Amino acid sequence: MSLSADGASHRNGTAVYFDGLSSRRRTVDLVLGDKLEIGEAGAAPVLWAYDDLRQVDGPAGMLRLSAMSAPPLARLEVRDTAFAAELASRCTRLGENRTDGRAVARIVGWSLAAVLSIVMVVLFAIPYAADRLAPLVPEGFERRLGEASEVQVKAIFGSRVCTNPAGQAAFTKMLTLLRASAGLDLAAVQSSVLDTPVPNAFALPGGKVYLFNGLLAKAQNPDEIAGVLAHELGHLKHRDNMRGLIYNGGTSFLIGLLFGDVTGSGALVFASRSLVTASHSREAEEGADSFAIDVMHKLGRSPKPMGELLFRVTGKEASNLSIMASHPLTEDRLKRMTAEDRPVSGPPLLTDKEWAALKGICGTAKNAPSGKK
Ligand SMILES: [Zn+2]
């Protein structure tokens, strides 16, 4: 304890502090400023507003506090009674929401039940659960996961986003047409072409679609690319990412969801990395193909060019890239797309000029069609 300049006593004190994130016990200095300042040597002080402070049960002779604005398990333990009294006098809502023993027992009971049920899910019902949990994941969480995944995308595939404005406009036009036809209300999401020679495309939770220039360079007409993008939108619509994540990510992801500890922890990094690198199940691939066929038909275009593009890229061999993931084999896929071929009845998705702009979006490909119709 010390005397401050204006003579008021008990403005400073010490306490034991648990930050609620780790179990480390810290000895901290407290200052009663506009807010309670919790200072630890070498770190910026943590500020707790007095109105946020709540007393929680502690041993006699100790004021044990939590704060509404802090992690639920954060605690501050003040033993100096004079300082504790000074601190308490500034807090107006110290006694609210105090939990008695029965409430604690109830919380513990529910937590155990929840953990037990998650364990049962993990052990016995993951595939079943994945199908049913994926639609329940809040969209806000999915969007955050998508944003985190972007970092992984750029780390793995390089970060150069192609920015040719005319090319980007053409890309956005195509995606908007596809999204409208697919009934996906995500037209505002900015999607990009990445300048990497890998022939690939994928969509992330939240709706962002990536097309790699390596695939664009091999494409001969807009319908080839449109079919691939429609396939990726199918994965989004079916929430295959979340399904796969729950299926593959299993325990830590579910438990993270259960305790709301996903954003702040390694779980998000883990989850986003597996999103970017994982391939989909055979069923998910076939479902996305069906979706793409449907979307192209609705636009009056044929899905066959998509099959032709993928066949051109991989031949009969399967590849481990996500769009060309080994299920189904590209040969089977081409057969299916060919069977779904229909005479074109809708307008072209892009004009020749827009297609040329899209092909040149990275400032590399120059093999756009020459003739104007
Ligand atoms: Zn796919």
Side-chain angles (χ1 to χ4, degrees), residues 84-173:
E86 177 74 27
L87 170 57
S89 73
R90 296 175 187 235
C91 305
T92 52
R93 304 172 65 185
L94 213 50
E96 286 179 23
N97 300 334
R98 284 192 66 180
T99 49
D100 59 17
R102 272 171 54 203
V104 170
R106 201 158 57 232
I107 292 166
V108 169
W110 276 112
S111 302
L112 284 177
V115 169
L116 190 64
S117 66
I118 289 292
V119 168
M120 299 293 277
V121 163
V122 168
L123 290 181
F124 301 111
I126 278 284
Y128 181 87
D131 282 351
R132 280 149 191 84
L133 287 177
L136 302 181
V137 176
E139 281 185 22
F141 171 76
E142 228 183 309
R143 208 172 313 117
R144 285 211 303 282
L145 188 58
E147 284 160 11
S149 306
E150 249 187 285
V151 177
Q152 299 294 333
V153 171
K154 292 182 177 172
I156 294 171
F157 297 105
S159 59
R160 199 175 106 70
V161 172
C162 299
T163 53
N164 176 288
Q168 182 64 40
F171 186 55
T172 303
K173 179 188 172 185

Coordinates of all heavy atoms in Angstrom, one line a residue, residues 84-173:
A84 N -9.3 -3.8 -0.1 CA -10.5 -4.5 -0.6 C -11.7 -3.6 -0.3 O -12.6 -3.5 -1.1 CB -10.6 -5.9 0.1
A85 N -11.8 -3.0 0.9 CA -13.0 -2.2 1.2 C -13.0 -1.0 0.3 O -14.1 -0.6 -0.2 CB -12.9 -1.8 2.7
E86 N -11.9 -0.4 0.1 CA -11.8 0.8 -0.8 C -12.3 0.4 -2.2 O -13.1 1.1 -2.9 CB -10.4 1.3 -0.8 CG -10.1 2.5 -1.8 CD -10.7 3.8 -1.2 OE1 -10.9 3.9 0.0 OE2 -11.1 4.7 -2.1
L87 N -11.8 -0.7 -2.7 CA -12.2 -1.2 -4.0 C -13.7 -1.5 -4.1 O -14.4 -1.1 -5.0 CB -11.4 -2.5 -4.4 CG -11.8 -3.3 -5.6 CD1 -11.7 -2.4 -6.8 CD2 -10.8 -4.5 -5.8
A88 N -14.2 -2.2 -3.0 CA -15.6 -2.6 -3.0 C -16.5 -1.4 -3.0 O -17.6 -1.4 -3.6 CB -15.9 -3.5 -1.8
S89 N -16.0 -0.3 -2.4 CA -16.9 0.9 -2.3 C -17.1 1.5 -3.7 O -18.0 2.3 -3.8 CB -16.2 1.9 -1.3 OG -15.1 2.5 -1.9
R90 N -16.2 1.2 -4.6 CA -16.4 1.8 -5.9 C -17.3 1.0 -6.9 O -17.6 1.4 -8.0 CB -15.0 2.0 -6.6 CG -14.2 3.0 -5.8 CD -12.7 3.0 -6.4 NE -11.9 3.9 -5.5 CZ -11.3 4.9 -5.9 NH1 -11.2 5.3 -7.2 NH2 -10.6 5.6 -5.1
C91 N -17.5 -0.3 -6.4 CA -18.3 -1.2 -7.3 C -19.7 -1.2 -6.9 O -20.1 -1.4 -5.7 CB -17.7 -2.6 -7.1 SG -16.0 -2.7 -7.4
T92 N -20.6 -0.9 -7.9 CA -22.0 -0.8 -7.5 C -22.8 -2.1 -7.7 O -23.9 -2.2 -7.2 CB -22.7 0.3 -8.5 OG1 -22.3 -0.1 -9.8 CG2 -22.1 1.7 -8.2
R93 N -22.2 -3.0 -8.4 CA -23.0 -4.2 -8.7 C -22.2 -5.5 -8.3 O -22.4 -6.6 -8.9 CB -23.2 -4.2 -10.2 CG -23.9 -3.0 -10.7 CD -24.0 -2.9 -12.2 NE -24.9 -3.9 -12.7 CZ -25.0 -4.1 -14.0 NH1 -24.4 -3.4 -14.9 NH2 -25.9 -5.1 -14.5
L94 N -21.5 -5.3 -7.2 CA -20.6 -6.4 -6.8 C -21.4 -7.7 -6.5 O -20.9 -8.8 -6.7 CB -19.9 -6.0 -5.5 CG -18.5 -6.5 -5.2 CD1 -17.6 -6.3 -6.4 CD2 -17.9 -5.7 -4.0
G95 N -22.6 -7.5 -5.9 CA -23.3 -8.7 -5.5 C -24.3 -9.3 -6.5 O -24.9 -10.3 -6.2
E96 N -24.3 -8.8 -7.7 CA -25.3 -9.3 -8.7 C -24.8 -10.7 -9.2 O -23.6 -10.9 -9.3 CB -25.4 -8.3 -9.8 CG -26.3 -7.1 -9.5 CD -26.4 -6.2 -10.6 OE1 -26.3 -6.6 -11.8 OE2 -26.7 -5.0 -10.3
N97 N -25.7 -11.5 -9.6 CA -25.4 -12.7 -10.2 C -24.5 -13.7 -9.4 O -23.8 -14.4 -10.0 CB -24.7 -12.5 -11.6 CG -25.6 -11.7 -12.5 OD1 -26.8 -11.8 -12.4 ND2 -25.0 -11.0 -13.4
R98 N -24.6 -13.5 -8.1 CA -23.7 -14.4 -7.3 C -24.4 -15.8 -7.4 O -25.6 -16.0 -7.3 CB -23.6 -14.0 -5.9 CG -22.7 -12.8 -5.7 CD -22.4 -12.6 -4.3 NE -21.6 -13.6 -3.7 CZ -21.3 -13.6 -2.4 NH1 -21.6 -12.6 -1.6 NH2 -20.6 -14.6 -1.9
T99 N -23.5 -16.8 -7.6 CA -24.0 -18.1 -7.7 C -23.8 -18.8 -6.4 O -22.7 -18.8 -5.8 CB -23.3 -18.9 -8.8 OG1 -21.9 -18.7 -8.6 CG2 -23.7 -18.4 -10.2
D100 N -24.8 -19.5 -5.9 CA -24.7 -20.3 -4.7 C -24.2 -21.7 -5.1 O -24.0 -22.0 -6.2 CB -26.0 -20.3 -3.9 CG -27.1 -20.9 -4.7 OD1 -26.8 -21.6 -5.7 OD2 -28.3 -20.6 -4.3
G101 N -24.0 -22.5 -4.1 CA -23.5 -23.8 -4.3 C -24.3 -24.7 -5.2 O -23.8 -25.4 -6.1
R102 N -25.6 -24.5 -5.1 CA -26.5 -25.3 -5.9 C -26.4 -25.0 -7.4 O -26.4 -25.8 -8.2 CB -28.0 -25.2 -5.4 CG -28.3 -26.2 -4.3 CD -29.7 -25.9 -3.7 NE -30.7 -25.9 -4.7 CZ -31.9 -25.2 -4.6 NH1 -32.1 -24.6 -3.5 NH2 -32.8 -25.3 -5.5
A103 N -26.3 -23.7 -7.6 CA -26.1 -23.2 -9.0 C -24.8 -23.8 -9.6 O -24.8 -24.2 -10.7 CB -26.2 -21.7 -9.1
V104 N -23.8 -23.7 -8.8 CA -22.5 -24.2 -9.3 C -22.6 -25.7 -9.6 O -22.2 -26.2 -10.6 CB -21.4 -24.0 -8.2 CG1 -20.1 -24.7 -8.6 CG2 -21.1 -22.5 -8.1
A105 N -23.3 -26.4 -8.7 CA -23.4 -27.9 -8.9 C -24.2 -28.1 -10.2 O -23.9 -29.0 -11.0 CB -24.2 -28.5 -7.7
R106 N -25.2 -27.3 -10.4 CA -26.0 -27.5 -11.6 C -25.2 -27.2 -12.9 O -25.2 -28.0 -13.8 CB -27.2 -26.5 -11.6 CG -28.4 -26.9 -12.5 CD -29.6 -26.2 -12.0 NE -29.6 -24.8 -12.0 CZ -29.9 -24.1 -10.9 NH1 -30.4 -24.6 -9.8 NH2 -29.8 -22.8 -10.9
I107 N -24.4 -26.1 -12.8 CA -23.5 -25.8 -14.0 C -22.5 -27.0 -14.2 O -22.3 -27.4 -15.4 CB -22.8 -24.5 -13.7 CG1 -23.8 -23.3 -13.7 CG2 -21.7 -24.3 -14.8 CD1 -23.2 -22.0 -13.2
V108 N -21.9 -27.4 -13.2 CA -21.0 -28.5 -13.3 C -21.6 -29.7 -13.9 O -21.1 -30.4 -14.8 CB -20.3 -28.9 -12.0 CG1 -19.5 -30.1 -12.1 CG2 -19.4 -27.7 -11.5
G109 N -22.8 -30.0 -13.4 CA -23.6 -31.2 -13.9 C -23.9 -31.1 -15.4 O -23.6 -32.0 -16.1
W110 N -24.4 -29.9 -15.8 CA -24.7 -29.7 -17.2 C -23.4 -29.8 -18.0 O -23.4 -30.4 -19.1 CB -25.4 -28.4 -17.4 CG -26.8 -28.4 -17.2 CD1 -27.5 -27.8 -16.2 CD2 -27.8 -29.2 -18.0 NE1 -28.9 -28.2 -16.3 CE2 -29.1 -29.0 -17.4 CE3 -27.7 -30.0 -19.1 CZ2 -30.2 -29.6 -17.9 CZ3 -28.9 -30.6 -19.6 CH2 -30.1 -30.4 -19.0
S111 N -22.3 -29.2 -17.5 CA -21.0 -29.3 -18.3 C -20.6 -30.7 -18.5 O -20.2 -31.1 -19.6 CB -20.0 -28.5 -17.6 OG -20.4 -27.2 -17.4
L112 N -20.7 -31.5 -17.4 CA -20.3 -32.9 -17.5 C -21.2 -33.6 -18.5 O -20.7 -34.4 -19.3 CB -20.4 -33.6 -16.1 CG -19.2 -33.2 -15.2 CD1 -19.5 -33.9 -13.8 CD2 -17.9 -33.6 -15.8
A113 N -22.5 -33.4 -18.4 CA -23.4 -34.0 -19.4 C -23.0 -33.6 -20.8 O -23.1 -34.4 -21.7 CB -24.8 -33.6 -19.0
A114 N -22.7 -32.3 -21.0 CA -22.4 -31.9 -22.3 C -21.1 -32.5 -22.8 O -21.0 -33.0 -24.0 CB -22.2 -30.3 -22.3
V115 N -20.1 -32.6 -22.0 CA -18.8 -33.2 -22.4 C -19.1 -34.7 -22.7 O -18.6 -35.2 -23.7 CB -17.8 -33.1 -21.2 CG1 -16.6 -34.0 -21.5 CG2 -17.4 -31.6 -21.1
L116 N -19.8 -35.3 -21.8 CA -20.1 -36.7 -22.0 C -20.8 -36.9 -23.4 O -20.5 -37.8 -24.1 CB -21.0 -37.3 -20.9 CG -21.1 -38.8 -20.9 CD1 -19.8 -39.4 -20.6 CD2 -22.1 -39.2 -19.7
S117 N -21.8 -36.1 -23.7 CA -22.5 -36.3 -24.9 C -21.6 -36.0 -26.1 O -21.7 -36.7 -27.1 CB -23.8 -35.4 -24.9 OG -23.4 -34.0 -25.0
I118 N -20.7 -35.0 -26.0 CA -19.8 -34.8 -27.1 C -18.9 -36.0 -27.3 O -18.6 -36.4 -28.4 CB -19.0 -33.5 -26.8 CG1 -19.8 -32.3 -26.9 CG2 -17.8 -33.4 -27.8 CD1 -20.3 -32.0 -28.3
V119 N -18.4 -36.6 -26.2 CA -17.6 -37.7 -26.3 C -18.3 -38.9 -27.0 O -17.8 -39.6 -27.8 CB -17.1 -38.2 -24.9 CG1 -16.4 -39.5 -24.9 CG2 -16.1 -37.1 -24.3
M120 N -19.6 -39.1 -26.6 CA -20.4 -40.1 -27.2 C -20.5 -39.8 -28.7 O -20.3 -40.8 -29.6 CB -21.8 -40.1 -26.7 CG -21.8 -40.5 -25.2 SD -21.3 -42.1 -24.8 CE -22.8 -43.0 -25.1
V121 N -20.7 -38.6 -29.1 CA -20.8 -38.2 -30.5 C -19.5 -38.5 -31.2 O -19.5 -39.1 -32.3 CB -21.1 -36.7 -30.6 CG1 -20.8 -36.2 -32.0 CG2 -22.6 -36.4 -30.3
V122 N -18.4 -38.1 -30.6 CA -17.1 -38.3 -31.2 C -16.8 -39.8 -31.4 O -16.4 -40.3 -32.5 CB -16.0 -37.7 -30.4 CG1 -14.6 -38.1 -30.9 CG2 -16.1 -36.2 -30.4
L123 N -17.1 -40.6 -30.4 CA -16.8 -42.0 -30.5 C -17.8 -42.8 -31.4 O -17.3 -43.7 -32.1 CB -16.9 -42.6 -29.1 CG -15.8 -42.2 -28.1 CD1 -15.9 -42.9 -26.8 CD2 -14.4 -42.5 -28.7
F124 N -19.0 -42.5 -31.3 CA -20.0 -43.4 -32.0 C -20.7 -42.8 -33.1 O -21.3 -43.5 -33.9 CB -21.0 -43.8 -30.9 CG -20.4 -44.5 -29.8 CD1 -20.4 -44.0 -28.5 CD2 -19.8 -45.8 -29.9 CE1 -19.8 -44.6 -27.4 CE2 -19.2 -46.4 -28.9 CZ -19.2 -45.8 -27.6
A125 N -20.8 -41.5 -33.3 CA -21.7 -41.0 -34.2 C -21.2 -39.9 -35.1 O -21.9 -39.0 -35.6 CB -23.0 -40.5 -33.5
I126 N -19.8 -39.8 -35.3 CA -19.3 -38.7 -36.0 C -19.9 -38.5 -37.4 O -20.3 -37.5 -37.8 CB -17.7 -38.7 -36.1 CG1 -17.2 -38.2 -34.8 CG2 -17.2 -38.0 -37.3 CD1 -17.2 -36.7 -34.7
P127 N -19.9 -39.6 -38.2 CA -20.4 -39.4 -39.6 C -21.8 -38.9 -39.6 O -22.2 -38.0 -40.3 CB -20.3 -40.8 -40.2 CG -19.3 -41.5 -39.4 CD -19.5 -41.0 -38.0
Y128 N -22.6 -39.6 -38.7 CA -24.0 -39.2 -38.6 C -24.1 -37.8 -38.1 O -24.9 -37.0 -38.6 CB -24.7 -40.2 -37.6 CG -26.1 -40.0 -37.3 CD1 -27.1 -40.6 -38.1 CD2 -26.6 -39.2 -36.3 CE1 -28.4 -40.4 -37.9 CE2 -27.9 -39.0 -36.0 CZ -28.8 -39.6 -36.9 OH -30.2 -39.4 -36.6
A129 N -23.3 -37.4 -37.1 CA -23.4 -36.1 -36.5 C -23.0 -35.0 -37.5 O -23.5 -34.0 -37.6 CB -22.5 -36.0 -35.3
A130 N -21.9 -35.3 -38.3 CA -21.4 -34.3 -39.2 C -22.5 -33.8 -40.2 O -22.7 -32.6 -40.4 CB -20.2 -34.9 -40.0
D131 N -23.3 -34.8 -40.7 CA -24.4 -34.4 -41.6 C -25.4 -33.5 -40.9 O -25.9 -32.6 -41.5 CB -25.1 -35.7 -42.0 CG -24.4 -36.4 -43.1 OD1 -23.4 -35.8 -43.6 OD2 -24.7 -37.5 -43.5
R132 N -25.6 -33.8 -39.6 CA -26.7 -33.0 -38.9 C -26.2 -31.7 -38.2 O -26.9 -30.8 -38.0 CB -27.4 -33.9 -37.9 CG -28.4 -34.8 -38.7 CD -28.6 -36.2 -38.1 NE -29.4 -37.0 -39.0 CZ -28.8 -37.7 -40.0 NH1 -27.5 -37.6 -40.2 NH2 -29.6 -38.4 -40.8
L133 N -24.9 -31.7 -37.9 CA -24.4 -30.5 -37.2 C -24.0 -29.4 -38.2 O -24.1 -28.3 -37.8 CB -23.1 -30.9 -36.3 CG -23.4 -31.7 -35.1 CD1 -22.1 -32.1 -34.4 CD2 -24.3 -30.9 -34.1
A134 N -23.5 -29.8 -39.3 CA -23.0 -28.8 -40.3 C -24.0 -27.7 -40.5 O -23.7 -26.5 -40.5 CB -22.6 -29.5 -41.6
P135 N -25.3 -28.0 -40.7 CA -26.3 -26.9 -40.9 C -26.5 -26.1 -39.7 O -27.1 -25.0 -39.8 CB -27.6 -27.6 -41.3 CG -27.2 -29.0 -41.7 CD -26.0 -29.3 -40.9
L136 N -26.1 -26.5 -38.5 CA -26.4 -25.8 -37.3 C -25.2 -24.8 -36.9 O -25.4 -24.0 -36.0 CB -26.5 -26.8 -36.1 CG -27.6 -27.8 -36.3 CD1 -27.7 -28.7 -35.1 CD2 -29.0 -27.2 -36.5
V137 N -24.1 -25.0 -37.6 CA -23.0 -24.0 -37.3 C -23.4 -22.6 -37.7 O -23.9 -22.4 -38.8 CB -21.7 -24.5 -38.1 CG1 -20.6 -23.5 -37.9 CG2 -21.3 -25.9 -37.7
P138 N -23.3 -21.7 -36.8 CA -23.8 -20.3 -37.1 C -23.1 -19.7 -38.3 O -21.9 -20.0 -38.4 CB -23.5 -19.5 -35.8 CG -23.3 -20.6 -34.8 CD -22.8 -21.8 -35.5
E139 N -23.8 -19.0 -39.1 CA -23.1 -18.4 -40.3 C -22.0 -17.4 -39.9 O -21.0 -17.3 -40.6 CB -24.2 -17.7 -41.2 CG -24.9 -18.7 -42.0 CD -25.9 -18.0 -43.0 OE1 -25.6 -16.9 -43.3 OE2 -26.9 -18.7 -43.4
G140 N -22.2 -16.7 -38.8 CA -21.2 -15.8 -38.4 C -19.9 -16.5 -38.1 O -18.8 -16.1 -38.5
F141 N -20.0 -17.7 -37.5 CA -18.8 -18.5 -37.2 C -18.2 -19.0 -38.5 O -17.0 -18.9 -38.7 CB -19.1 -19.7 -36.3 CG -18.0 -20.6 -36.2 CD1 -16.9 -20.3 -35.4 CD2 -17.9 -21.8 -36.9 CE1 -15.8 -21.1 -35.3 CE2 -16.9 -22.6 -36.9 CZ -15.8 -22.3 -36.1
E142 N -19.0 -19.4 -39.4 CA -18.5 -19.9 -40.7 C -17.8 -18.8 -41.5 O -16.8 -19.1 -42.1 CB -19.7 -20.3 -41.6 CG -19.5 -21.7 -42.2 CD -20.7 -22.1 -43.1 OE1 -21.8 -22.0 -42.6 OE2 -20.4 -22.5 -44.2
R143 N -18.3 -17.6 -41.4 CA -17.6 -16.5 -42.1 C -16.2 -16.2 -41.4 O -15.3 -16.0 -42.1 CB -18.5 -15.2 -42.0 CG -18.3 -14.2 -43.1 CD -19.3 -13.1 -43.1 NE -20.7 -13.6 -42.9 CZ -21.4 -13.3 -41.8 NH1 -21.0 -12.5 -40.9 NH2 -22.6 -13.7 -41.7
R144 N -16.2 -16.2 -40.1 CA -14.9 -16.0 -39.5 C -13.9 -17.1 -39.9 O -12.7 -16.9 -40.1 CB -15.0 -16.0 -37.9 CG -15.7 -14.8 -37.4 CD -15.1 -14.5 -36.0 NE -15.4 -15.6 -35.0 CZ -16.5 -15.9 -34.4 NH1 -17.6 -15.1 -34.7 NH2 -16.6 -16.9 -33.6
L145 N -14.4 -18.3 -39.9 CA -13.6 -19.4 -40.3 C -13.1 -19.2 -41.8 O -11.9 -19.5 -42.1 CB -14.4 -20.7 -40.2 CG -13.6 -22.0 -40.4 CD1 -12.5 -22.1 -39.4 CD2 -14.6 -23.2 -40.3
G146 N -14.0 -18.7 -42.6 CA -13.6 -18.5 -44.0 C -12.5 -17.4 -44.1 O -11.5 -17.5 -44.8
E147 N -12.6 -16.4 -43.2 CA -11.6 -15.3 -43.2 C -10.3 -15.9 -42.8 O -9.2 -15.6 -43.3 CB -12.1 -14.2 -42.3 CG -13.1 -13.3 -43.0 CD -13.9 -12.5 -42.0 OE1 -13.5 -12.4 -40.8 OE2 -15.0 -12.0 -42.4
A148 N -10.3 -16.7 -41.7 CA -9.1 -17.3 -41.3 C -8.5 -18.2 -42.3 O -7.2 -18.3 -42.5 CB -9.3 -18.1 -40.0
S149 N -9.3 -18.9 -43.1 CA -8.8 -19.8 -44.1 C -8.1 -19.1 -45.2 O -7.2 -19.6 -45.8 CB -10.0 -20.6 -44.7 OG -10.7 -21.2 -43.7
E150 N -8.6 -17.8 -45.5 CA -7.9 -17.0 -46.5 C -6.4 -16.9 -46.2 O -5.6 -16.9 -47.1 CB -8.5 -15.6 -46.5 CG -9.4 -15.3 -47.7 CD -9.8 -13.9 -47.7 OE1 -10.7 -13.6 -46.9 OE2 -9.2 -13.1 -48.4
V151 N -6.1 -16.7 -45.0 CA -4.7 -16.6 -44.6 C -3.9 -17.8 -45.0 O -2.8 -17.8 -45.5 CB -4.6 -16.3 -43.1 CG1 -3.1 -16.2 -42.7 CG2 -5.3 -15.0 -42.7
Q152 N -4.6 -19.0 -44.8 CA -4.0 -20.3 -45.1 C -3.8 -20.4 -46.6 O -2.8 -20.9 -47.1 CB -4.8 -21.4 -44.5 CG -4.9 -21.4 -43.0 CD -3.6 -21.7 -42.4 OE1 -2.7 -22.3 -42.9 NE2 -3.4 -21.1 -41.2
V153 N -4.9 -20.0 -47.3 CA -4.9 -20.1 -48.8 C -3.6 -19.3 -49.3 O -2.9 -19.8 -50.1 CB -6.1 -19.4 -49.4 CG1 -6.0 -19.3 -50.9 CG2 -7.3 -20.2 -49.1
K154 N -3.5 -18.1 -48.8 CA -2.4 -17.3 -49.3 C -1.0 -17.8 -48.9 O -0.1 -17.7 -49.6 CB -2.6 -15.8 -48.9 CG -3.9 -15.3 -49.6 CD -4.2 -13.9 -49.4 CE -5.4 -13.5 -50.3 NZ -5.9 -12.2 -49.9
A155 N -1.0 -18.4 -47.7 CA 0.3 -19.0 -47.3 C 0.6 -20.2 -48.1 O 1.8 -20.4 -48.5 CB 0.1 -19.4 -45.8
I156 N -0.4 -21.0 -48.5 CA -0.1 -22.2 -49.2 C 0.1 -22.0 -50.7 O 1.0 -22.5 -51.3 CB -1.2 -23.3 -49.0 CG1 -1.2 -23.7 -47.5 CG2 -1.0 -24.5 -49.8 CD1 -2.4 -24.5 -47.1
F157 N -0.7 -21.1 -51.3 CA -0.7 -21.0 -52.7 C -0.1 -19.7 -53.2 O -0.1 -19.4 -54.4 CB -2.1 -21.1 -53.3 CG -2.7 -22.4 -53.0 CD1 -3.7 -22.6 -52.1 CD2 -2.3 -23.6 -53.7 CE1 -4.2 -23.9 -51.8 CE2 -2.8 -24.8 -53.5 CZ -3.8 -25.0 -52.5
G158 N 0.4 -18.9 -52.3 CA 1.0 -17.6 -52.7 C -0.1 -16.5 -52.7 O -1.3 -16.8 -52.8
S159 N 0.3 -15.3 -52.5 CA -0.7 -14.3 -52.2 C -1.0 -13.4 -53.3 O -1.8 -12.4 -53.1 CB -0.2 -13.5 -51.0 OG 1.0 -12.9 -51.4
R160 N -0.5 -13.6 -54.6 CA -0.8 -12.6 -55.6 C -2.2 -12.8 -56.1 O -2.6 -13.7 -56.8 CB 0.2 -12.7 -56.7 CG 0.2 -11.4 -57.5 CD 1.3 -11.4 -58.6 NE 0.7 -11.5 -59.9 CZ 0.0 -10.6 -60.5 NH1 -0.3 -9.5 -60.0 NH2 -0.5 -10.8 -61.8
V161 N -3.0 -11.8 -55.8 CA -4.4 -11.8 -56.3 C -4.4 -11.0 -57.6 O -3.8 -9.9 -57.7 CB -5.3 -11.0 -55.3 CG1 -6.7 -10.8 -56.0 CG2 -5.5 -11.9 -54.1
C162 N -5.0 -11.6 -58.7 CA -4.9 -10.9 -60.0 C -6.0 -9.7 -59.9 O -7.1 -9.9 -59.5 CB -5.3 -11.9 -61.1 SG -4.1 -13.2 -61.2
T163 N -5.5 -8.6 -60.4 CA -6.3 -7.4 -60.2 C -6.8 -6.6 -61.5 O -7.3 -5.6 -61.4 CB -5.6 -6.4 -59.3 OG1 -4.3 -6.1 -59.9 CG2 -5.4 -6.9 -57.9
N164 N -6.5 -7.2 -62.6 CA -6.9 -6.5 -63.8 C -8.4 -6.2 -63.7 O -9.3 -7.1 -63.6 CB -6.7 -7.4 -65.1 CG -7.2 -6.8 -66.3 OD1 -8.4 -6.7 -66.5 ND2 -6.3 -6.3 -67.2
P165 N -8.8 -4.9 -63.8 CA -10.2 -4.5 -63.5 C -11.2 -5.1 -64.4 O -12.3 -5.6 -64.0 CB -10.2 -3.0 -63.6 CG -8.7 -2.6 -63.5 CD -7.9 -3.7 -64.1
A166 N -10.9 -5.1 -65.7 CA -11.9 -5.7 -66.7 C -12.0 -7.2 -66.4 O -13.1 -7.7 -66.5 CB -11.4 -5.4 -68.1
G167 N -10.9 -7.8 -66.1 CA -11.0 -9.3 -65.8 C -11.7 -9.5 -64.5 O -12.6 -10.5 -64.5
Q168 N -11.5 -8.7 -63.5 CA -12.3 -8.9 -62.2 C -13.8 -8.7 -62.5 O -14.6 -9.4 -61.9 CB -11.7 -8.0 -61.2 CG -12.4 -8.1 -59.8 CD -12.1 -9.4 -59.1 OE1 -11.1 -10.0 -59.2 NE2 -13.2 -10.0 -58.5
A169 N -14.1 -7.7 -63.3 CA -15.5 -7.4 -63.6 C -16.1 -8.6 -64.3 O -17.3 -9.0 -63.9 CB -15.6 -6.1 -64.5
A170 N -15.4 -9.2 -65.2 CA -16.0 -10.4 -65.9 C -16.1 -11.5 -64.9 O -17.2 -12.2 -64.9 CB -15.0 -10.8 -67.0
F171 N -15.2 -11.7 -64.0 CA -15.2 -12.8 -63.1 C -16.4 -12.6 -62.1 O -17.2 -13.5 -61.9 CB -13.9 -12.8 -62.3 CG -13.8 -14.0 -61.3 CD1 -13.9 -15.3 -61.7 CD2 -13.5 -13.7 -60.0 CE1 -13.8 -16.3 -60.8 CE2 -13.3 -14.8 -59.1 CZ -13.5 -16.1 -59.5
T172 N -16.6 -11.4 -61.7 CA -17.7 -11.0 -60.8 C -19.0 -11.2 -61.5 O -20.0 -11.8 -60.9 CB -17.6 -9.6 -60.3 OG1 -16.3 -9.4 -59.6 CG2 -18.7 -9.3 -59.3
K173 N -19.1 -10.8 -62.8 CA -20.3 -11.0 -63.5 C -20.7 -12.5 -63.6 O -21.9 -12.9 -63.3 CB -20.2 -10.4 -64.9 CG -21.4 -10.6 -65.8 CD -21.2 -10.2 -67.2 CE -22.4 -10.6 -68.1 NZ -22.1 -10.3 -69.5

